[in-house]
Amino acid sequence: MQNFIVWMNPDREESATAAAKLNGAVLTAHTDGVMAAIGRELKKMDLEADLAVFAQTCEEFAKQANADMICISRSTGDAVAAVTYLEDGYAGEGISAVADLRFLMSVFRYCFNKPEKAIVLRDALNYLSDADITWLFSRHSNAIIEWQSNEGLGLYEFGFSLSDILTDGCRHVLREVVTGWLNSEILPVLCAEPA
């Protein structure tokens, strides 16, 4: 996982808006690197990928800013965004599940700095797709199973029985278990982040 500062095209009047929308995004890996991931994210926001012209790690930005006394100036058209880039296979300790949830709920990013974010994000879990649930489980299965075991939660506690799995498959069970873990373990961490 790396954090980047993204410089927007100073000659485009929509750059400030694009920077504001992109700021705080958590980007999944792209085979062509961070700039391609940024372009993909901008396209998801119905913006042009070429609005982003340059990305540098936060460390590089700070080093350059301290050495050259670089200043971001809106009067010269400067617009920047900070993003988190998850390299392929990222499975960090502790924060990866929060980062994954931030990524999946990026459409709700507007509420991350609002007091009511806990309510909005809890309700937003209902809108995660089956693919999202499966992806989260594939990345955090050990943590989910450990939580379930530590809490003494079996199928019956989630309102299911073995016959449900045999007749309906695991989709509904997986959704209940993963959203239960998200509600119990991950949302409180995300919601505790400063507004």
Side-chain angles (χ1 to χ4, degrees):
M1 177 173 78
Q2 282 190 296
N3 295 308
F4 285 87
I5 300 295
V6 181
W7 291 83
M8 309 308 276
N9 187 336
D11 299 325
R12 304 274 299 273
E13 70 181 58
E14 63 266 45
S15 288
T17 301
K21 287 183 176 181
L22 185 63
N23 195 43
V26 178
L27 311 173
T28 55
H30 192 287
T31 55
D32 293 327
V34 69
M35 284 303 294
I38 292 165
R40 177 182 59 204
E41 186 71 12
L42 287 169
K43 286 179 183 176
K44 282 185 195 174
M45 298 173 180
D46 293 324
L47 296 166
E48 295 177 35
D50 65 351
L51 283 167
V53 293
F54 179 66
Q56 63 188 140
T57 65
C58 287
E59 294 84 2
E60 291 170 348
F61 174 79
K63 183 178 177 181
Q64 187 179 3
N66 289 330
D68 301 334
M69 299 306 287
I70 291 178
C71 191
I72 299 168
S73 172
R74 190 173 195 152
S75 65
T76 60
D78 291 341
V80 298
V83 299
T84 299
Y85 181 68
L86 304 177
E87 289 94 355
D88 220 5
Y90 173 76
E93 294 292 320
I95 65 161
S96 69
V98 174
D100 285 350
L101 193 57
R102 273 185 165 274
F103 168 73
L104 290 173
M105 295 188 164
S106 61
V107 72
F108 297 100
R109 193 174 327 137
Y110 69 90
C111 77
F112 285 172
N113 294 328
K114 298 190 184 225
E116 66 273 9
K117 74 178 174 182
I119 296 165
V120 174
L121 294 178
R122 190 166 290 112
D123 291 344
L125 289 179
N126 296 322
Y127 296 101
L128 292 176
S129 70
D130 289 341
D132 295 337
I133 295 291
T134 302
W135 180 74
L136 282 167
F137 185 77
S138 72
R139 289 172 58 89
H140 306 288
S141 58
N142 289 342
I144 294 168
I145 291 167
E146 183 179 337
W147 165 78
Q148 190 178 357
S149 176
N150 290 343
E151 297 295 319
L153 301 172
L155 289 175
Y156 294 108
E157 285 76 23
F158 289 101
F160 294 99
S161 66
L162 183 58
S163 67
D164 294 317
I165 294 174
L166 296 174
T167 58
D168 189 32
C170 298
R171 185 170 52 94
H172 298 297
V173 175
L174 187 61
R175 175 172 290 281
E176 288 299 315
V177 171
V178 171
T179 56
W181 172 72
L182 289 170
N183 269 309
S184 175
E185 303 293 313
I186 306 308
L187 273 183
V189 176
L190 182 59
C191 292
E193 291 177 348

